Amino acid sequence: MEEINLYLDEAKDSMQKAIKHTELELSKIRAGKASPNMFDGLMVEYYGASTPLAQVATVSVPEPRSITIKAYEKSMVTTIEKAIRDSNMGFNPQNDGDLIRINIPPLTEERRRDLVKQTKAEGESGKVRIRKIRQETNDELKKLLKDGASEDEVKKAEEVVQALTNDTTARLEALVAAKEKELMTV
């Protein structure tokens, strides 16, 4: 039935988006290595408006344990430096007037464990999103049953949704496990 396929495609697409969102959130968790993604969520005050750092500066990684940030406008350097200090990311930016340099300190064992907990929490929230998609899709399929769809087709579709959920959850768990391994590797 065409409507069933539509719901299955929508569920698959939504689950892919949940995986992508979790990947993005996991990329923001630093693993002791410098990465421009670490500043994706950082907002900077720019002419009275809260603006993403990427729109006011270039973030680059000249070495594995350092980051440089070059503001498009020289007047923004101190504002960016203040935003980084206030962000509670644990960085100590050094401002040389034109460029902000950030040295990434090696992670302590305690900090690694905290980041693993944060990683697991992100993974769990991704699983919750996936289960919610499954529930919503199954509810829509049950409505089709009331509208006259065949019971066998709906049952098969529910099995496909469950298989899709299992597959997506396994991929999410693999992402989380890889991030945990990356965090715990010294």
Short mmCIF file of all heavy atoms in Angstrom, two decimals, residues 77-131:
data_model
loop_
_atom_site.label_atom_id
_atom_site.label_comp_id
_atom_site.label_asym_id
_atom_site.label_seq_id
_atom_site.Cartn_x
_atom_site.Cartn_y
_atom_site.Cartn_z
N VAL A 77 38.10 40.73 18.07
CA VAL A 77 39.04 39.81 18.72
C VAL A 77 38.77 39.70 20.23
O VAL A 77 38.67 38.59 20.77
CB VAL A 77 40.51 40.22 18.44
CG1 VAL A 77 41.48 39.36 19.22
CG2 VAL A 77 40.80 40.10 16.95
N THR A 78 38.64 40.83 20.91
CA THR A 78 38.41 40.77 22.37
C THR A 78 37.04 40.20 22.69
O THR A 78 36.87 39.48 23.68
CB THR A 78 38.58 42.16 23.02
OG1 THR A 78 37.73 43.09 22.35
CG2 THR A 78 40.01 42.62 22.97
N THR A 79 36.04 40.47 21.86
CA THR A 79 34.69 39.92 22.08
C THR A 79 34.71 38.40 21.94
O THR A 79 34.09 37.69 22.74
CB THR A 79 33.70 40.53 21.05
OG1 THR A 79 33.81 41.95 21.09
CG2 THR A 79 32.29 40.11 21.35
N ILE A 80 35.42 37.91 20.94
CA ILE A 80 35.53 36.45 20.73
C ILE A 80 36.28 35.82 21.91
O ILE A 80 35.86 34.78 22.43
CB ILE A 80 36.23 36.15 19.39
CG1 ILE A 80 35.36 36.60 18.23
CG2 ILE A 80 36.57 34.66 19.28
CD1 ILE A 80 36.04 36.57 16.87
N GLU A 81 37.36 36.48 22.32
CA GLU A 81 38.14 35.96 23.45
C GLU A 81 37.25 35.85 24.70
O GLU A 81 37.26 34.84 25.40
CB GLU A 81 39.33 36.88 23.73
CG GLU A 81 40.19 36.42 24.89
CD GLU A 81 41.30 37.41 25.23
OE1 GLU A 81 41.23 38.58 24.79
OE2 GLU A 81 42.22 36.99 25.94
N LYS A 82 36.45 36.87 24.96
CA LYS A 82 35.56 36.87 26.12
C LYS A 82 34.52 35.75 26.00
O LYS A 82 34.23 35.05 26.97
CB LYS A 82 34.87 38.23 26.26
CG LYS A 82 33.98 38.34 27.48
CD LYS A 82 33.30 39.71 27.53
CE LYS A 82 32.42 39.91 28.73
NZ LYS A 82 31.57 38.83 29.10
N ALA A 83 33.97 35.56 24.80
CA ALA A 83 32.96 34.52 24.59
C ALA A 83 33.55 33.13 24.86
O ALA A 83 32.89 32.26 25.44
CB ALA A 83 32.42 34.59 23.16
N ILE A 84 34.80 32.92 24.47
CA ILE A 84 35.46 31.62 24.70
C ILE A 84 35.68 31.42 26.19
O ILE A 84 35.43 30.34 26.72
CB ILE A 84 36.78 31.53 23.91
CG1 ILE A 84 36.49 31.51 22.41
CG2 ILE A 84 37.58 30.29 24.33
CD1 ILE A 84 37.70 31.68 21.53
N ARG A 85 36.15 32.47 26.88
CA ARG A 85 36.36 32.35 28.33
C ARG A 85 35.05 32.07 29.07
O ARG A 85 35.01 31.27 29.99
CB ARG A 85 36.97 33.63 28.89
CG ARG A 85 38.43 33.80 28.59
CD ARG A 85 39.02 34.99 29.35
NE ARG A 85 40.24 35.48 28.74
CZ ARG A 85 41.41 34.89 28.88
NH1 ARG A 85 41.53 33.82 29.61
NH2 ARG A 85 42.48 35.38 28.28
N ASP A 86 33.97 32.74 28.64
CA ASP A 86 32.67 32.59 29.31
C ASP A 86 31.95 31.30 28.93
O ASP A 86 30.95 30.95 29.56
CB ASP A 86 31.76 33.79 28.97
CG ASP A 86 32.31 35.10 29.52
OD1 ASP A 86 33.22 35.06 30.37
OD2 ASP A 86 31.81 36.16 29.09
N SER A 87 32.43 30.60 27.91
CA SER A 87 31.71 29.43 27.39
C SER A 87 31.83 28.19 28.27
O SER A 87 31.17 27.20 28.02
CB SER A 87 32.24 29.08 26.00
OG SER A 87 33.55 28.57 26.10
N ASN A 88 32.69 28.22 29.27
CA ASN A 88 32.86 27.07 30.17
C ASN A 88 33.37 25.84 29.43
O ASN A 88 33.03 24.71 29.76
CB ASN A 88 31.54 26.77 30.90
CG ASN A 88 31.76 25.94 32.14
OD1 ASN A 88 32.86 25.87 32.65
ND2 ASN A 88 30.71 25.31 32.62
N MET A 89 34.19 26.06 28.39
CA MET A 89 34.79 24.96 27.64
C MET A 89 36.13 24.54 28.24
O MET A 89 36.71 23.55 27.84
CB MET A 89 34.99 25.36 26.18
CG MET A 89 33.70 25.60 25.43
SD MET A 89 33.98 26.25 23.78
CE MET A 89 34.21 24.76 22.86
N GLY A 90 36.63 25.34 29.17
CA GLY A 90 37.89 25.00 29.82
C GLY A 90 39.12 25.46 29.05
O GLY A 90 40.22 24.97 29.30
N PHE A 91 38.96 26.41 28.13
CA PHE A 91 40.08 26.91 27.35
C PHE A 91 40.57 28.24 27.90
O PHE A 91 39.79 29.02 28.44
CB PHE A 91 39.70 27.11 25.89
CG PHE A 91 39.35 25.85 25.17
CD1 PHE A 91 38.21 25.77 24.40
CD2 PHE A 91 40.17 24.74 25.25
CE1 PHE A 91 37.89 24.61 23.73
CE2 PHE A 91 39.85 23.57 24.59
CZ PHE A 91 38.71 23.51 23.83
N ASN A 92 41.85 28.50 27.70
CA ASN A 92 42.44 29.78 28.08
C ASN A 92 42.98 30.43 26.80
O ASN A 92 44.13 30.22 26.43
CB ASN A 92 43.55 29.57 29.11
CG ASN A 92 44.06 30.88 29.65
OD1 ASN A 92 43.40 31.90 29.56
ND2 ASN A 92 45.27 30.84 30.20
N PRO A 93 42.15 31.24 26.12
CA PRO A 93 42.59 31.84 24.86
C PRO A 93 43.65 32.92 25.07
O PRO A 93 43.62 33.63 26.07
CB PRO A 93 41.30 32.45 24.29
CG PRO A 93 40.42 32.65 25.45
CD PRO A 93 40.79 31.61 26.47
N GLN A 94 44.60 32.98 24.15
CA GLN A 94 45.63 34.02 24.19
C GLN A 94 45.44 34.92 22.99
O GLN A 94 45.43 34.46 21.85
CB GLN A 94 47.03 33.38 24.17
CG GLN A 94 47.32 32.64 25.45
CD GLN A 94 48.08 31.35 25.22
OE1 GLN A 94 48.51 31.07 24.11
NE2 GLN A 94 48.22 30.56 26.26
N ASN A 95 45.30 36.21 23.28
CA ASN A 95 45.01 37.20 22.27
C ASN A 95 46.28 37.97 21.95
O ASN A 95 46.87 38.58 22.83
CB ASN A 95 43.91 38.13 22.82
CG ASN A 95 43.58 39.28 21.92
OD1 ASN A 95 44.22 39.50 20.90
ND2 ASN A 95 42.58 40.03 22.33
N ASP A 96 46.71 37.95 20.68
CA ASP A 96 47.90 38.73 20.31
C ASP A 96 47.53 39.96 19.48
O ASP A 96 48.36 40.55 18.81
CB ASP A 96 48.94 37.86 19.60
CG ASP A 96 48.53 37.45 18.20
OD1 ASP A 96 47.46 37.89 17.72
OD2 ASP A 96 49.29 36.69 17.57
N GLY A 97 46.25 40.36 19.54
CA GLY A 97 45.80 41.55 18.82
C GLY A 97 45.12 41.24 17.50
O GLY A 97 44.09 41.82 17.18
N ASP A 98 45.70 40.32 16.73
CA ASP A 98 45.11 39.94 15.44
C ASP A 98 44.51 38.55 15.48
O ASP A 98 43.56 38.26 14.76
CB ASP A 98 46.19 39.95 14.34
CG ASP A 98 46.68 41.34 14.00
OD1 ASP A 98 45.88 42.28 14.13
OD2 ASP A 98 47.86 41.47 13.63
N LEU A 99 45.07 37.71 16.30
CA LEU A 99 44.76 36.28 16.29
C LEU A 99 44.54 35.80 17.71
O LEU A 99 45.20 36.27 18.64
CB LEU A 99 45.97 35.56 15.68
CG LEU A 99 45.80 34.23 15.00
CD1 LEU A 99 44.90 34.36 13.79
CD2 LEU A 99 47.15 33.71 14.57
N ILE A 100 43.63 34.84 17.87
CA ILE A 100 43.45 34.20 19.17
C ILE A 100 44.01 32.80 19.05
O ILE A 100 43.66 32.05 18.13
CB ILE A 100 41.96 34.15 19.56
CG1 ILE A 100 41.41 35.56 19.74
CG2 ILE A 100 41.77 33.34 20.83
CD1 ILE A 100 39.92 35.63 19.97
N ARG A 101 44.91 32.46 19.97
CA ARG A 101 45.50 31.12 19.98
C ARG A 101 44.96 30.38 21.20
O ARG A 101 44.88 30.94 22.29
CB ARG A 101 47.01 31.19 20.08
CG ARG A 101 47.66 31.82 18.89
CD ARG A 101 49.19 31.82 19.04
NE ARG A 101 49.82 32.79 18.18
CZ ARG A 101 49.95 32.67 16.88
NH1 ARG A 101 49.47 31.62 16.28
NH2 ARG A 101 50.53 33.61 16.16
N ILE A 102 44.64 29.10 20.98
CA ILE A 102 44.16 28.26 22.07
C ILE A 102 44.97 26.98 22.05
O ILE A 102 45.00 26.27 21.04
CB ILE A 102 42.66 27.94 21.92
CG1 ILE A 102 41.86 29.23 21.93
CG2 ILE A 102 42.20 27.00 23.02
CD1 ILE A 102 40.41 29.06 21.56
N ASN A 103 45.64 26.69 23.16
CA ASN A 103 46.35 25.42 23.30
C ASN A 103 45.41 24.45 23.98
O ASN A 103 44.80 24.77 24.99
CB ASN A 103 47.63 25.60 24.11
CG ASN A 103 48.66 26.38 23.33
OD1 ASN A 103 48.83 26.18 22.14
ND2 ASN A 103 49.34 27.30 24.00
N ILE A 104 45.30 23.26 23.42
CA ILE A 104 44.41 22.24 23.96
C ILE A 104 45.22 21.39 24.94
O ILE A 104 46.11 20.65 24.53
CB ILE A 104 43.84 21.33 22.84
CG1 ILE A 104 43.27 22.16 21.70
CG2 ILE A 104 42.85 20.34 23.41
CD1 ILE A 104 42.07 22.97 22.03
N PRO A 105 44.91 21.49 26.24
CA PRO A 105 45.65 20.69 27.20
C PRO A 105 45.23 19.22 27.11
O PRO A 105 44.10 18.93 26.73
CB PRO A 105 45.24 21.29 28.55
CG PRO A 105 43.90 21.91 28.30
CD PRO A 105 43.90 22.33 26.87
N PRO A 106 46.15 18.30 27.45
CA PRO A 106 45.76 16.89 27.45
C PRO A 106 44.68 16.67 28.52
O PRO A 106 44.67 17.34 29.55
CB PRO A 106 47.05 16.14 27.80
CG PRO A 106 48.07 17.17 28.11
CD PRO A 106 47.53 18.52 27.81
N LEU A 107 43.78 15.74 28.25
CA LEU A 107 42.69 15.48 29.18
C LEU A 107 43.17 14.67 30.39
O LEU A 107 43.95 13.74 30.24
CB LEU A 107 41.58 14.70 28.47
CG LEU A 107 40.88 15.40 27.32
CD1 LEU A 107 39.95 14.43 26.61
CD2 LEU A 107 40.12 16.60 27.81
N THR A 108 42.64 15.03 31.55
CA THR A 108 42.92 14.24 32.75
C THR A 108 42.00 13.02 32.74
O THR A 108 40.98 13.00 32.03
CB THR A 108 42.66 15.06 34.03
OG1 THR A 108 41.27 15.38 34.09
CG2 THR A 108 43.49 16.32 34.06
N GLU A 109 42.32 12.03 33.55
CA GLU A 109 41.50 10.82 33.63
C GLU A 109 40.08 11.16 34.06
O GLU A 109 39.10 10.64 33.51
CB GLU A 109 42.14 9.82 34.59
CG GLU A 109 41.46 8.47 34.65
CD GLU A 109 41.60 7.67 33.36
OE1 GLU A 109 42.54 7.90 32.59
OE2 GLU A 109 40.74 6.80 33.13
N GLU A 110 39.96 12.05 35.04
CA GLU A 110 38.64 12.44 35.54
C GLU A 110 37.82 13.13 34.43
O GLU A 110 36.64 12.85 34.25
CB GLU A 110 38.80 13.38 36.74
CG GLU A 110 37.49 13.82 37.35
CD GLU A 110 37.69 14.80 38.50
OE1 GLU A 110 38.81 14.88 39.05
OE2 GLU A 110 36.71 15.48 38.83
N ARG A 111 38.47 14.02 33.70
CA ARG A 111 37.79 14.73 32.62
C ARG A 111 37.38 13.76 31.51
O ARG A 111 36.30 13.87 30.94
CB ARG A 111 38.71 15.83 32.06
CG ARG A 111 38.09 16.66 30.97
CD ARG A 111 36.98 17.55 31.48
NE ARG A 111 36.47 18.36 30.38
CZ ARG A 111 35.20 18.62 30.19
NH1 ARG A 111 34.29 18.18 31.03
NH2 ARG A 111 34.82 19.34 29.17
N ARG A 112 38.22 12.78 31.24
CA ARG A 112 37.87 11.76 30.24
C ARG A 112 36.60 11.02 30.65
O ARG A 112 35.73 10.78 29.82
CB ARG A 112 39.01 10.75 30.07
CG ARG A 112 40.20 11.28 29.33
CD ARG A 112 41.30 10.20 29.25
NE ARG A 112 42.55 10.74 28.81
CZ ARG A 112 42.87 10.96 27.55
NH1 ARG A 112 42.02 10.67 26.60
NH2 ARG A 112 44.03 11.47 27.23
N ARG A 113 36.53 10.65 31.93
CA ARG A 113 35.35 9.93 32.42
C ARG A 113 34.09 10.80 32.32
O ARG A 113 33.02 10.31 31.96
CB ARG A 113 35.57 9.45 33.85
CG ARG A 113 36.64 8.38 33.95
CD ARG A 113 36.66 7.70 35.31
NE ARG A 113 37.84 6.91 35.50
CZ ARG A 113 38.10 5.75 34.88
NH1 ARG A 113 37.24 5.27 34.03
NH2 ARG A 113 39.21 5.08 35.12
N ASP A 114 34.23 12.09 32.62
CA ASP A 114 33.10 13.01 32.48
C ASP A 114 32.64 13.10 31.03
O ASP A 114 31.43 13.11 30.75
CB ASP A 114 33.47 14.42 32.97
CG ASP A 114 33.62 14.49 34.49
OD1 ASP A 114 33.16 13.56 35.19
OD2 ASP A 114 34.20 15.49 34.96
N LEU A 115 33.60 13.15 30.11
CA LEU A 115 33.25 13.24 28.70
C LEU A 115 32.61 11.94 28.20
O LEU A 115 31.72 11.97 27.34
CB LEU A 115 34.49 13.58 27.86
CG LEU A 115 35.03 15.00 28.07
CD1 LEU A 115 36.34 15.18 27.30
CD2 LEU A 115 34.03 16.05 27.67
N VAL A 116 33.04 10.80 28.75
CA VAL A 116 32.41 9.52 28.40
C VAL A 116 30.95 9.52 28.87
O VAL A 116 30.05 9.08 28.15
CB VAL A 116 33.20 8.32 28.98
CG1 VAL A 116 32.39 7.05 28.91
CG2 VAL A 116 34.51 8.15 28.23
N LYS A 117 30.71 10.05 30.08
CA LYS A 117 29.33 10.15 30.58
C LYS A 117 28.50 11.04 29.66
O LYS A 117 27.35 10.72 29.35
CB LYS A 117 29.31 10.74 32.00
CG LYS A 117 29.74 9.77 33.07
CD LYS A 117 29.68 10.44 34.43
CE LYS A 117 30.34 9.57 35.49
NZ LYS A 117 30.46 10.25 36.77
N GLN A 118 29.08 12.15 29.23
CA GLN A 118 28.39 13.07 28.33
C GLN A 118 28.10 12.37 27.00
O GLN A 118 27.01 12.53 26.44
CB GLN A 118 29.25 14.31 28.12
CG GLN A 118 28.60 15.42 27.34
CD GLN A 118 29.52 16.62 27.17
OE1 GLN A 118 30.56 16.73 27.81
NE2 GLN A 118 29.14 17.52 26.29
N THR A 119 29.06 11.59 26.52
CA THR A 119 28.88 10.84 25.28
C THR A 119 27.74 9.84 25.41
O THR A 119 26.89 9.73 24.52
CB THR A 119 30.19 10.11 24.91
OG1 THR A 119 31.22 11.08 24.74
CG2 THR A 119 30.05 9.29 23.65
N LYS A 120 27.72 9.11 26.52
CA LYS A 120 26.64 8.14 26.74
C LYS A 120 25.29 8.82 26.82
O LYS A 120 24.29 8.30 26.31
CB LYS A 120 26.91 7.34 28.01
CG LYS A 120 28.02 6.33 27.85
CD LYS A 120 28.24 5.52 29.10
CE LYS A 120 29.34 4.50 28.87
NZ LYS A 120 29.65 3.71 30.06
N ALA A 121 25.24 10.00 27.45
CA ALA A 121 23.99 10.75 27.54
C ALA A 121 23.50 11.16 26.15
O ALA A 121 22.30 11.08 25.85
CB ALA A 121 24.16 11.97 28.44
N GLU A 122 24.42 11.61 25.29
CA GLU A 122 24.05 11.98 23.92
C GLU A 122 23.54 10.76 23.16
O GLU A 122 22.57 10.84 22.42
CB GLU A 122 25.24 12.59 23.17
CG GLU A 122 25.55 14.01 23.52
CD GLU A 122 24.42 14.98 23.26
OE1 GLU A 122 23.57 14.73 22.38
OE2 GLU A 122 24.38 16.00 23.96
N GLY A 123 24.21 9.62 23.37
CA GLY A 123 23.78 8.39 22.72
C GLY A 123 22.39 7.98 23.18
O GLY A 123 21.55 7.57 22.38
N GLU A 124 22.13 8.12 24.46
CA GLU A 124 20.82 7.76 25.01
C GLU A 124 19.73 8.69 24.47
O GLU A 124 18.64 8.23 24.12
CB GLU A 124 20.85 7.81 26.54
CG GLU A 124 19.65 7.15 27.20
CD GLU A 124 19.40 5.72 26.74
OE1 GLU A 124 20.34 4.93 26.62
OE2 GLU A 124 18.21 5.39 26.50
N SER A 125 20.04 9.98 24.36
CA SER A 125 19.02 10.89 23.83
C SER A 125 18.75 10.58 22.35
O SER A 125 17.62 10.71 21.88
CB SER A 125 19.41 12.36 24.04
OG SER A 125 20.37 12.77 23.14
N GLY A 126 19.77 10.13 21.62
CA GLY A 126 19.57 9.69 20.24
C GLY A 126 18.66 8.47 20.17
O GLY A 126 17.77 8.38 19.32
N LYS A 127 18.87 7.52 21.08
CA LYS A 127 18.02 6.32 21.13
C LYS A 127 16.58 6.70 21.45
O LYS A 127 15.64 6.12 20.89
CB LYS A 127 18.54 5.34 22.18
CG LYS A 127 19.80 4.62 21.79
CD LYS A 127 20.17 3.65 22.89
CE LYS A 127 21.55 3.14 22.75
NZ LYS A 127 21.94 2.28 23.89
N VAL A 128 16.40 7.65 22.36
CA VAL A 128 15.06 8.09 22.72
C VAL A 128 14.36 8.68 21.49
O VAL A 128 13.19 8.40 21.23
CB VAL A 128 15.10 9.11 23.88
CG1 VAL A 128 13.77 9.81 24.07
CG2 VAL A 128 15.52 8.41 25.17
N ARG A 129 15.10 9.50 20.71
CA ARG A 129 14.53 10.07 19.49
C ARG A 129 14.12 8.96 18.51
O ARG A 129 13.04 9.02 17.91
CB ARG A 129 15.53 11.00 18.80
CG ARG A 129 15.55 12.40 19.36
CD ARG A 129 16.33 13.37 18.47
NE ARG A 129 17.76 13.12 18.43
CZ ARG A 129 18.62 13.51 19.37
NH1 ARG A 129 18.19 14.16 20.42
NH2 ARG A 129 19.90 13.25 19.26
N ILE A 130 14.97 7.95 18.38
CA ILE A 130 14.68 6.85 17.45
C ILE A 130 13.44 6.09 17.91
O ILE A 130 12.55 5.76 17.12
CB ILE A 130 15.90 5.91 17.32
CG1 ILE A 130 17.00 6.64 16.57
CG2 ILE A 130 15.52 4.62 16.61
CD1 ILE A 130 18.36 5.96 16.64
N ARG A 131 13.35 5.80 19.22
CA ARG A 131 12.18 5.08 19.74
C ARG A 131 10.89 5.90 19.57
O ARG A 131 9.84 5.35 19.29
CB ARG A 131 12.39 4.70 21.20
CG ARG A 131 13.42 3.59 21.38
CD ARG A 131 13.41 3.01 22.77
NE ARG A 131 13.82 3.95 23.79
CZ ARG A 131 15.05 4.05 24.29
NH1 ARG A 131 16.00 3.26 23.84
NH2 ARG A 131 15.31 4.91 25.25
#
